Amino acid sequence: MAGNWKLLLIFGLLLSASVVRIAAEDEAPAAGETAAAEASDAEDIDEDYSEADKAHLIVRKFFKEEMGVQGRNLTVYLEIYNAGSATANEVTLKDAPWPEGLKLIDGSLEAHLGKVDVGSSVQHSYVVVAEKGSFGAEFQSATVTYQPELDNREKQTTSSSAYGIYVMTPVEQITRYALMAGQYATLGMASTPAHWRNIAILAVIAAAALLGNNTYKSVNTKTSERKRAAALKELEKE
């Protein structure tokens, strides 16, 4: 009897272990399926987000002229480029007030540009005149507001970088052109006022040396001629 009870006990333990293992195997696929479902949901969210078409505007401020000149016009350009994947709607532009010393003579600091298609750009410009010279004019950032999504009325704002330009006097402009011509003539050896000052000093020294040498030769020649004349007179007396 004791032996039969031992066999029954061992059989019961084996049976229990088999049942536990089968249950664990049944639950494992369920957990794996849950993880796969969660990953699939995350991918769907990412795809939905990446597929959302939005406009992305880039604003650039620049000038037609390389430098400003007192009394002359200076044209300010604002270029807006759509680097996004949807058309930008209700695009409006507002530039910051111009620096002191400049006066608006044509155009406006504000503009309603409508829409900007994907991969295209629009421009706005205005003209100012410099009322003084010899100063740096710092133009602050321009602001652009637009609707990046067609089905979303929420607006987005972007801005350009600040931009500075030097405004010369007419005399400074003439000096600049003269330096450019001198740099070309001297093959780049004289490109600044300091270079030309040094060249002028060397030229004065060379001219003084040449003049001194000519004067010395002239004095020597006259002295030799006087001696020769005196010698001839002595010969005539004899």
Side-chain angles (χ1 to χ4, degrees):
M1 291 294 294
N4 292 334
W5 280 108
K6 289 181 180 180
L7 291 174
L8 290 173
L9 181 59
I10 293 171
F11 179 75
L13 291 172
L14 293 173
L15 182 62
S16 298
S18 299
V19 171
V20 171
R21 185 178 64 183
I22 292 172
E25 290 177 354
D26 291 340
E27 291 178 357
E33 291 175 0
T34 301
E38 292 176 353
S40 177
D41 293 339
E43 290 177 358
D44 292 340
I45 293 174
D46 291 340
E47 289 178 359
D48 292 340
Y49 181 78
S50 62
E51 290 175 358
D53 290 331
K54 290 185 178 181
H56 179 68
L57 298 185
I58 300 173
V59 187
R60 184 171 71 100
K61 178 185 285 189
F62 61 98
F63 298 89
K64 177 182 178 181
E65 298 79 8
E66 181 181 356
M67 286 189 176
V69 180
Q70 181 182 358
R72 296 191 180 181
N73 295 348
L74 183 64
T75 306
V76 184
Y77 284 98
L78 291 155
E79 184 179 55
I80 303 169
Y81 175 74
N82 187 356
S85 55
T87 299
N89 294 284
E90 300 182 18
V91 181
T92 59
L93 166 70
K94 184 176 182 180
D95 201 0
W98 53 86
E100 182 182 356
L102 302 175
K103 178 182 178 181
L104 181 68
I105 60 172
D106 187 31
S108 172
L109 297 182
E110 299 183 8
H112 297 277
L113 304 174
K115 66 178 183 178
V116 182
D117 294 328
V118 178
S120 64
S121 62
V122 294
Q123 276 191 356
H124 175 73
S125 64
Y126 59 89
V127 182
V128 297
V129 63
E131 297 181 314
K132 64 179 183 178
S134 191
F135 76 102
E138 185 69 24
F139 287 77
Q140 299 302 317
S141 301
T143 301
V144 172
T145 303
Y146 63 100
Q147 180 184 336
E149 297 178 86
L150 183 61
D151 55 352
N152 187 350
R153 304 296 297 179
E154 183 178 356
K155 296 291 185 68
Q156 187 170 327
T157 301
T158 185
S159 60
S160 70
S161 59
Y163 198 103
I165 190 170
Y166 184 76
V167 181
M168 301 180 291
T169 63
V171 174
E172 287 176 330
Q173 184 187 32
I174 294 173
T175 303
R176 180 170 178 266
Y177 287 152
L179 289 174
M180 292 173 61
Q183 182 179 7
Y184 178 79
T186 59
L187 302 178
M189 291 186 293
S191 58
T192 66
H195 292 162
W196 282 103
R197 184 179 65 248
N198 295 335
I199 291 175
I201 292 172
L202 293 175
V204 169
I205 294 173
L210 182 61
L211 179 61
N213 184 54
N214 290 337
T215 302
Y216 176 76
K217 288 182 177 180
S218 177
V219 170
N220 285 343
T221 300
K222 290 180 179 180
T223 302
S224 298
E225 289 177 353
R226 285 198 301 268
K227 289 180 178 180
R228 187 178 300 108
L232 288 175
K233 287 180 180 181
E234 291 294 331
L235 291 174
E236 291 175 356
K237 290 179 181 179
E238 294 178 356

